[in-house]
Amino acid sequence: MSDFDLFGNGEEPKIAEIWSVSDLTDEIKDLLESKVGDVKVSGEISNFRRQSASGHLYFSLKDADAQISAVMFRGDASRLNFEPEDGGQVVVTGMVTVYKPRGNYQIRIRAMKPAGKGGLQAQFEALKDKLNLEGLFEESRKQPLPVFPRRIGLITSPT
């Protein structure tokens, strides 16, 4: 059986051209940037960081169901009249681009306006306040971690 037997029928798929990774990424970049181009997007800031050497801003914009990487270069960031932070809801204007070295799509932001506190951050803070009122963060409830734990548990969820 061939390494290309994707269909389990003993035949290679009929694809005429073999692309290099760079050529395929260039094609995706051209398609995405020409078809989507400029956008205005509302979302909540997550994983915010300001690169001290360059002054560029890097973060994710997210909502309840998805996220997208975002970059704002120093020149555009210098025109902001507020300090972006994790959990902040913003409206951004920019262009969908592909960062070729990693093959990731992102929004290259030219302008950003605050739009209040993000819903996800507000939910997180409400839960934290509730647990704090129940006394679950008090020092007396904390237990030291053993130097050599005998068991480790991993808790996950479908979401």
Side-chain angles (χ1 to χ4, degrees):
M1 187 158 33
S2 165
D3 288 342
F4 293 103
D5 188 10
L6 302 176
F7 307 109
N9 60 9
E11 296 179 21
E12 284 189 24
K14 304 293 186 254
I15 300 172
E17 183 178 354
I18 298 175
W19 296 54
S20 70
V21 173
S22 293
D23 289 344
L24 178 58
T25 303
D26 285 339
E27 185 70 19
I28 292 168
K29 179 176 173 62
D30 290 345
L31 282 169
L32 195 57
E33 292 177 6
S34 67
K35 295 291 182 190
V36 178
D38 290 331
V39 292
K40 190 174 275 196
V41 179
S42 173
E44 186 172 318
I45 294 174
S46 176
N47 303 313
F48 178 81
R49 68 186 194 285
R50 180 184 297 270
Q51 211 60 17
S52 56
S54 66
H56 303 332
L57 310 181
Y58 297 96
F59 55 95
S60 297
L61 273 181
K62 66 181 186 176
D63 61 23
D65 298 319
Q67 71 177 4
I68 184 171
S69 296
V71 60
M72 187 174 207
F73 295 122
R74 181 181 56 204
D76 294 319
S78 69
R79 291 190 291 278
L80 290 176
N81 59 3
F82 73 103
E83 183 62 29
E85 61 183 19
D86 282 341
Q89 186 77 19
V90 294
V91 175
V92 302
T93 304
M95 180 179 185
V96 175
T97 65
V98 173
Y99 180 61
K100 186 176 175 179
R102 283 198 305 259
N104 294 346
Y105 74 98
Q106 63 186 9
I107 299 177
R108 188 174 62 223
I109 298 171
R110 290 188 309 273
M112 178 167 37
K113 296 187 309 192
K117 185 177 284 191
L120 297 174
Q121 184 71 20
Q123 287 175 352
F124 171 74
E125 288 177 12
L127 176 60
K128 197 166 96 175
D129 290 343
K130 176 184 173 232
L131 297 176
N132 195 33
L133 285 173
E134 293 176 15
L136 298 178
F137 295 131
E138 292 177 10
E139 285 295 321
S140 63
R141 298 185 71 101
K142 294 184 180 181
Q143 297 180 8
L145 293 173
V147 177
F148 299 105
R150 289 184 286 164
R151 288 188 212 120
I152 298 174
L154 177 64
I155 300 171
T156 65
S157 78
T159 59

